[in-house]
Amino acid sequence: MAEPELVDVVVVGLGVGGEEVAGRLAEAGLTVVGIERDLVGGECPYWGCIPSKMMIRAANALAEAHRVNELAGSAEVRPDWAPVARRIREEATDTWDDKVAVDRFTGKGGRFVRGTGRLDGRNRVRVGEQVFEARYGVVLGTGTRPSVPPIDGLADNPYWTNHQAIEVEELPESLLVLGGGAIGLELAQVFARFGVRVTVVEAADRVLALEEPEASEIAATALRADGVEIHTGVKAERVEHDGASFTVHGGGRTFGGEKLLVATGRRAHLEELGLETVQVDAKQRYLPVDERMHVTEGIWAVGDLTGEGAFTHIAMYQAGIVVADLLDHMRRTKGGPDPSGTASVMGGAAGAVSAVGGAMSTGSTVAPGSVPVADYRALPRVTFTDPEVGAVGLTERQARDRGINVQIGYTDLTSSTRGWIHKAGNAGFIKLVVDADQGVLIGATSVGPAGGEVLSALVVAVHAAVPLSQLRHMIYAYPTFHRAIEDALRNLR
């Protein structure tokens, strides 16, 4: 058995959250080992938010060009996927090579190890034959992978996940999408706008089932206008592939497509982490953490595997908490000299604490007892369809299910001055969910051409519990989309 190598911190999984933690701790002077078996940066820069938004930007440009005929004369549009695929390959992903990301981490002083990290007892991580012992802690950031439902025949056939959809060089003639959540709808609209015949099959009774029903209706209407067939309330039961196309059977009906995209959610693979060696149950869908991201003594977790939402902004938010908490833990530990001579507490730990001001991005100090704690009340989420669907906090149904005395404020975006000016492509609304007893906003949805951007004002209102009286007496710039918030406040019932 290999002799453990003593270091300050080991980070297993360098997705968005893990890379942020590892890089900032390395910059602060700690000896940090970062372990990644796939690509440093994770899903977001290679198969998620970055390349998918490049696709959406291109598809939206096509849609805007079509709107010229209604607004400004005439235009002829000929979609071409080649420049989109080239931009994703060359600008976003370096043809799915993470050398730049690895160099970025090592340039901060971190040590990178390519491989699969696994806990090997308290404060120990094994990667192949190497074993690292962490003086101050281990951070897990291994993310999630697509959750493939147990549909008869699916596993044996060449279906797509978001990876294949992002990497595609030549578009299929038709695409069948299982799943009407954010990923499924975003990609469905993109491919439809580039001329692919798209069919979406969703088991729930509406698409975007976790959002407000009004948002589901607008999203479905927009996608149907782009030629997408949407079938809700249909549970897929069997999948067939004849070598050229797919057939999905469900609800007594059949649906076909040249390619099949499975977008039915994601799950963490906890069984791969060696959690049993630290007495943590690995038979869970996600890894529970407390308000400072602790899994158990000496182990933190960040990102998708915590189950708080598969969003880059959640991973980054949690990373800030972990950095502060780990440095605070290190200061309180007051460890002795480094037996290996590679990173003394004075040279590493003390230097890290003095450098924390530059390492922190939460605005909080790390004096003992002042580490920030996680607060997800104002968790923002955006589905980047056209129109965008932005939401924060509780939906109306969630609030009522909690027994809250709810007031609702609603306004149609098309009735606002900016919506009327915008004209083509102006579908949307603002919906406010208010705790009437407290007089504060506890949830909101912003749908429209800039729904995700308008959402920021609503996030602040929910996060800071801004009294309704103050929101009513704000000055809202005219004529902007966000001015519709004032109309929704006026319509509270």
Side-chain angles (χ1 to χ4, degrees):
M1 182 176 295
E3 184 70 21
E5 180 180 346
L6 186 63
V7 297
D8 287 337
V9 177
V10 179
V11 180
V12 182
L14 297 181
V16 170
E19 183 187 2
E20 178 75 356
V21 170
R24 284 166 57 181
L25 291 178
E27 283 182 312
L30 281 72
T31 54
V32 181
V33 172
I35 302 168
E36 175 57 56
R37 70 178 181 184
D38 296 318
L39 298 180
V40 173
E43 285 285 310
C44 179
Y46 300 102
W47 300 286
C49 24
I50 303 302
S52 71
K53 301 315 170 277
M54 286 182 171
M55 295 165 65
I56 289 167
R57 168 72 175 123
N60 288 357
L62 292 175
E64 279 297 286
H66 283 294
R67 291 165 182 156
V68 166
N69 295 333
E70 184 176 353
L71 295 170
S74 63
E76 182 179 345
V77 184
R78 292 188 299 273
D80 182 0
W81 185 253
V84 184
R86 183 169 57 251
R87 187 180 184 207
I88 290 171
R89 186 174 61 249
E90 296 177 0
E91 296 181 27
T93 68
D94 287 336
T95 315
W96 293 273
D97 185 315
D98 64 351
K99 183 181 184 305
V100 170
V102 172
D103 290 346
R104 180 172 60 235
F105 173 53
T106 57
K108 295 175 180 179
R111 176 178 168 189
F112 177 66
V113 177
R114 181 83 68 187
T116 300
R118 180 181 173 85
L119 293 168
D120 192 34
R122 187 171 180 269
N123 291 342
R124 289 161 62 106
V125 175
R126 177 178 294 277
V127 190
E129 296 301 314
Q130 293 178 285
V131 179
F132 298 98
E133 184 168 341
R135 181 184 287 105
Y136 299 114
V138 175
V139 182
L140 304 175
T142 52
T144 56
R145 297 203 291 273
S147 178
V148 181
I151 300 171
D152 183 30
L154 178 59
D156 300 327
N157 288 306
Y159 61 86
W160 280 3
T161 66
N162 61 304
H163 284 216
Q164 289 75 33
I166 294 294
E167 294 174 8
V168 65
E169 294 282 343
E170 295 186 8
L171 297 181
E173 289 190 5
S174 58
L175 176 67
L176 183 57
V177 180
L178 284 186
I183 295 174
L185 292 196
E186 287 178 2
L187 293 175
Q189 188 174 50
V190 165
F191 285 113
R193 286 180 165 181
F194 274 89
V196 179
R197 297 193 314 275
V198 181
T199 302
V200 174
V201 177
E202 167 58 50
D205 61 359
R206 58 188 176 92
V207 296
L208 298 182
L210 299 180
E211 303 299 348
E212 297 283 12
E214 298 94 332
S216 301
E217 183 178 350
I218 282 189
T221 298
L223 265 73
R224 287 185 172 119
D226 284 321
V228 178
E229 285 188 28
I230 297 177
H231 303 275
T232 56
V234 178
K235 183 178 180 181
E237 299 162 356
R238 189 171 82 257
V239 172
E240 296 174 348
H241 185 251
D242 62 7
S245 62
F246 285 87
T247 301
V248 171
H249 301 262
R253 305 175 63 183
T254 60
F255 309 91
E258 181 183 340
K259 299 294 182 181
L260 172 64
L261 170 61
V262 177
T264 51
R266 302 178 67 85
R267 66 177 290 266
H269 289 262
L270 304 184
E271 70 280 359
E272 301 175 353
L273 295 178
L275 292 167
E276 68 280 357
T277 69
V278 291
Q279 290 74 55
V280 174
D281 182 12
K283 296 179 181 178
Q284 305 175 82
R285 184 172 177 84
Y286 296 105
L287 190 58
V289 294
D290 69 9
E291 60 189 5
R292 289 193 174 98
M293 307 297 112
H294 299 150
V295 177
T296 188
E297 184 181 359
I299 300 177
W300 290 257
V302 294
D304 294 4
L305 86 166
T306 66
E308 295 294 347
F311 304 110
T312 292
H313 46 277
I314 284 290
M316 297 291 281
Y317 173 74
Q318 293 175 333
I321 294 172
V322 170
V323 169
D325 194 55
L326 209 152
L327 290 174
D328 183 61
H329 164 70
M330 178 185 62
R331 174 161 50 187
R332 288 183 285 105
T333 298
K334 295 181 180 178
D338 176 10
S340 69
T342 58
S344 70
V345 172
M346 290 304 294
V353 173
S354 67
V356 70
M360 287 296 296
S361 65
T362 61
S364 300
T365 65
V366 291
S370 67
V371 174
V373 297
D375 178 0
Y376 303 110
R377 291 176 302 114
L379 167 60
R381 52 198 185 272
V382 181
T383 299
F384 291 89
T385 47
D386 178 17
E388 292 179 355
V389 177
V392 60
L394 301 178
T395 63
E396 178 182 356
R397 173 51 55 197
Q398 288 170 334
R400 294 193 188 282
D401 287 347
R402 295 187 185 191
I404 296 172
N405 181 16
V406 173
Q407 279 185 294
I408 298 298
Y410 182 93
T411 188
D412 192 308
L413 199 65
T414 62
S415 66
S416 70
T417 302
R418 180 61 182 274
W420 176 77
I421 293 169
H422 195 79
K423 197 173 182 178
N426 65 351
F429 65 86
I430 300 289
K431 181 174 181 178
L432 309 179
V433 181
V434 169
D435 182 330
D437 296 334
Q438 301 297 320
V440 295
L441 201 61
I442 56 175
T445 297
S446 166
V447 178
E453 307 304 324
V454 172
L455 183 68
S456 61
L458 299 168
V459 173
V460 171
V462 174
H463 180 78
V466 179
L468 291 179
S469 57
Q470 291 192 24
L471 292 177
R472 286 191 174 104
H473 292 287
M474 283 176 54
I475 301 173
Y476 296 84
Y478 181 91
T480 61
F481 285 120
H482 82 257
R483 189 173 170 86
I485 295 172
E486 186 178 38
D487 295 333
L489 286 165
R490 196 176 293 119
N491 294 338
L492 275 172
R493 55 176 172 79

